[in-house]
Amino acid sequence: MKTVHKSFFIIVISSIIFLIIIPLSVFADENDSFKTTYDAHYIPLLNGDSKVNLSISIVNTRADVYVREFSLAFPSQFSISNLFVKDDYENITPVINRQEELTKISIPFSYPPIGKNAIGHIYMNFVQKNLFKTEGAIWEIIIPTINNKPNTLFNVSITLPKDSTRILSIAKPKPSQ
């Protein structure tokens, strides 16, 4: 009888230790266990396309959850090409799912950041269509935005061609400066 109690006790203790040591994996956009910052830099090209450099920082705000994979979706009218993705450790081959209205990009971390205040970065470079167009002396821009969620910051910078004398008009998001 002692052997049965001892085995049961060892199994229970082992299970508790396993649950404490192995954090729970969740989707970053389903709760407020993360702070996410997007730094997007747009460079319009004269053919109407734009080079985009996107840096995403994800900070765990809890010790018991982490992000294994990060996903973004772009409206199809703003199609992307020449996609390059990496995290803090290596180049990543994303999973791209093109649908009628959206292009979804899923990016697995090569080594997910685990622990409270652990930070993971994703770096993306790509060419995007239909963000800029010229109307006379004005550059018109529409930037796809991130859904307004708590603990999310979206920073945008734009570098216009040096020889351009056009004025920049931003439809959305509303610029802070």
Side-chain angles (χ1 to χ4, degrees):
M1 192 70 156
K2 285 185 176 183
T3 306
V4 172
H5 287 307
K6 187 175 182 181
S7 296
F8 178 74
F9 179 74
I10 291 172
I11 291 171
V12 169
I13 294 299
S14 298
S15 298
I16 291 171
I17 290 171
F18 179 78
L19 291 173
I20 290 171
I21 293 175
I22 306 298
L24 181 65
S25 174
V26 298
F27 293 101
D29 60 352
E30 292 183 350
N31 62 47
D32 62 354
S33 299
F34 308 92
K35 291 181 183 175
T36 309
T37 301
Y38 299 84
D39 290 307
H41 183 79
Y42 294 89
I43 305 165
L45 304 172
L46 296 177
N47 68 356
D49 295 347
S50 301
K51 286 185 181 179
V52 181
N53 299 317
L54 180 60
S55 173
I56 304 164
S57 301
I58 304 164
V59 180
N60 299 342
T61 59
R62 294 176 32 186
D64 61 333
V65 293
Y66 69 96
V67 177
R68 262 195 263 183
E69 181 177 274
F70 191 84
S71 296
L72 288 172
F74 295 97
S76 293
Q77 69 264 28
F78 300 109
S79 65
I80 63 170
S81 61
N82 302 329
L83 177 62
F84 173 79
V85 180
K86 66 180 232 153
D87 65 9
D88 291 316
Y89 301 98
E90 59 191 43
N91 296 343
I92 297 174
T93 302
V95 176
I96 300 172
N97 182 5
R98 296 185 196 281
Q99 300 169 354
E100 214 171 289
E101 294 183 19
L102 288 176
T103 298
K104 182 179 177 185
I105 302 170
S106 298
I107 304 162
F109 276 99
S110 55
Y111 299 97
I114 297 174
K116 186 173 182 175
N117 296 322
I119 302 172
H121 297 95
I122 295 172
Y123 306 97
M124 301 174 67
N125 298 311
F126 51 91
V127 174
Q128 195 162 21
K129 293 200 174 296
N130 300 322
L131 298 181
F132 287 86
K133 69 178 184 177
T134 56
E135 280 296 325
I138 297 177
W139 281 95
E140 292 182 351
I141 179 172
I142 298 175
I143 298 174
T145 59
I146 304 300
N147 290 340
N148 191 11
K149 294 186 177 189
N151 294 326
T152 301
L153 181 61
F154 187 54
N155 299 310
V156 175
S157 63
I158 302 165
T159 301
L160 296 176
K162 290 183 181 199
D163 57 345
S164 176
T165 58
R166 292 185 168 99
I167 298 170
L168 179 64
S169 171
I170 302 176
K172 69 176 195 178
K174 183 179 176 187
S176 59
Q177 58 179 338

